[in-house]
Amino acid sequence: MNARKRAGVAIATLGLVASVGMSTPAAAATKVPEISDDLTTVTLLNFNDFHGRIDSGMDMTGALGKNFACSVVTAQGTYENPLLLSAGDSVGASSFASNLATDFPTIEYLNALGLEASAVGNHEFDRGFGWLTGEAESRATFAYLGANVYQRGTTTPALDEYHIADVDGIKVGVIGAVTSDTPNMVSPTGVSGLDFGDPVEAVNRVAAQLSDGDDSNGEADIIVAQYHEGASSAASLEDAKQAEVFRAMAEDTDQNVDVIFNGHTHLLYQWDIPAAEGTRVISSSGSYASHLGVVQLGYDTATGEVTEYVAENVETVASTEACSANETWQGAAAIVDEAVANAQELGLVPVAEISADITTAMKDAAVVDGTYTGSSRDDRLRESSLGNLVADAWLWAANQTGRPGADIGIMNSGGLRSDLWYTASGDEGDGVVTYAEAAAINPFANTLQTIDVTGETFKQALEQQWQPAGASRPFLKLGLSENVRYTYDPDAEQGN
């Protein structure tokens, strides 16, 4: 059941966050090796930042999509009462096979796997709010949720705030929220009629509503928060709390919320955080179908509380023969095969040659046969050869005949979604770059733009690589064309 809250309901529940949600916290849960037999198990299967990875974007075989589908159907057949959920960015910045078809294959693929509900991520707005609420929602059999997305200048939610799923007679309420920084990450015209509020405040408002005892405005036995926002570091919980946005999710989320899922920052972590006198889990499952988060909850039907939980992130591995015999897997795999076949004719055309790897900055050296393992790529805090190459490409393109010309090329690190591997290409041989490989680097429908700025404005842009206090990522390194050099003092005050 989807429930879009109108303005009067949203305003009426604002006061419940303090008076109901925080004064009657859920009973404490305990992390255990396995759920006790006298409890009802509800299993949450969660992923985030899938980004249309029905194919890796390089091999054009669909292996990644089939492998992840195998992880999902295996978990669905292994754990009791499974419920498949997403913390956002399921589409956008997608692999070539999905991007070429406007991400519709990914939506159909997730439908086939039985996705129940998803928070909207910032990339769900890449093609604009109209595309999300029109073409995307009309094709999706799952609920898109954004409790902190409001009609401009109001407190009226522009999307469904929550979704209630019935799992073995237990009502599971899923609340979705997206990073409030979304307007700075997508085309302004696509979200011009929207405001993006505080995600924790929105989740708490809805959680209080779902636990206030009033059936008329929705009730849930278990409450799940899906934040498309996350930690800036997976080193430790305390380290992650240095960023205010993560600290707020970990410490200020309403105690009636039983599980917190994260996304957006593409990190892999699971931490147990204080909840009343026990703990609850906060989890992020990497990105690009690398892992599936599995959280088993032990629900006491007598007390109406979650009292136990088991949590793990399960790595995606190669598809098995058992999966190939599974009807759900077969349905998802057929969608992958069709999308890849449609993309191969254009995607496998050679467009360039390289003499060595050209990559984003690496978090570690976990590269096997030209493929990243885990979350090793995409260190946005550091300069990369690929970022600078793309900035050079933009400068070159702007200065072609009939174009306006430019002096400096700039590339934001977050727009680099794949890499160029010398050994990644198959039949064409080492060093060959295909159209699909090149397109996977910047899989966006963006427009190359030039703008006249003063030297002082350009200097301010360099300064703004250091993000505002509390941001989920403290620094974002710009790729710059080779004619730009600058120095900085890392110990200087921000703004200097």
Side-chain angles (χ1 to χ4, degrees), residues 131-428:
W131 179 86
L132 171 61
T133 57
E135 294 181 89
E137 282 197 332
S138 67
R139 285 171 168 80
T141 57
F142 52 90
Y144 270 125
L145 309 173
N148 66 324
V149 183
Y150 306 104
Q151 295 176 21
R152 177 62 59 86
T154 74
T155 56
T156 304
L159 293 165
D160 289 342
E161 300 173 276
Y162 69 91
H163 174 80
I164 303 292
D166 189 308
V167 181
D168 196 18
I170 298 169
K171 293 181 179 180
V172 180
V174 184
I175 308 170
V178 63
T179 174
S180 59
D181 205 29
T182 296
N184 298 322
M185 300 178 180
V186 299
S187 173
T189 57
V191 294
S192 59
L194 303 174
D195 288 330
F196 292 81
D198 184 306
V200 176
E201 187 177 278
V203 165
N204 288 353
R205 170 175 53 78
V206 179
Q209 173 187 320
L210 296 181
S211 55
D212 65 1
D214 184 356
D215 288 334
S216 67
N217 64 7
E219 286 297 298
D221 302 309
I222 294 173
I223 299 179
V224 180
Q226 291 278 0
Y227 287 112
H228 188 73
E229 183 62 277
S232 59
S233 169
S236 70
L237 176 59
E238 290 309 310
D239 192 47
K241 284 184 181 180
Q242 298 305 306
E244 173 58 27
V245 65
F246 180 82
R247 187 213 60 77
M249 289 187 294
E251 296 183 357
D252 298 339
T253 297
D254 192 308
Q255 293 292 297
N256 285 298
V257 173
D258 297 290
V259 180
I260 300 172
F261 288 113
N262 284 172
H264 186 51
T265 54
H266 291 205
L267 296 180
L268 182 69
Y269 55 82
Q270 273 187 346
W271 292 307
D272 304 305
I273 55 177
E277 297 178 0
T279 56
R280 58 183 169 180
V281 68
I282 187 166
S283 175
S284 177
S285 299
S287 64
Y288 301 156
S290 68
H291 290 76
L292 181 68
V294 179
V295 178
Q296 301 174 74
L297 302 176
Y299 181 78
D300 188 333
T301 55
T303 64
E305 302 289 356
V306 172
T307 59
E308 296 179 350
Y309 68 93
V310 180
E312 61 180 323
N313 270 316
V314 178
E315 186 175 5
T316 297
V317 295
S319 192
T320 65
E321 289 187 15
C323 284
S324 65
N326 180 283
E327 289 187 5
T328 298
W329 183 91
Q330 291 170 356
I335 294 166
V336 171
D337 285 339
E338 182 178 2
V340 169
N342 290 337
Q344 279 181 337
E345 182 177 355
L346 176 62
L348 294 180
V349 174
V351 296
E353 292 183 2
I354 57 176
S355 57
D357 297 336
I358 307 175
T359 72
T360 54
M362 303 274 283
K363 296 174 186 173
D364 57 55
V367 182
V368 179
D369 296 329
T371 301
Y372 290 110
T373 60
S375 301
S376 60
R377 71 174 303 273
D378 193 28
D379 184 350
R380 301 182 188 183
L381 278 68
R382 297 165 54 208
E383 185 174 13
S384 76
S385 56
L386 184 63
N388 291 340
L389 174 66
V390 173
D392 281 332
W394 298 156
L395 180 60
W396 172 86
N399 285 301
Q400 296 307 293
T401 303
R403 292 181 178 174
D407 300 300
I408 293 172
I410 302 176
M411 180 62 207
N412 68 299
S413 57
L416 303 170
R417 294 299 172 139
S418 189
D419 302 88
L420 293 176
W421 293 104
Y422 179 75
T423 59
S425 302
D427 295 339
E428 298 298 335

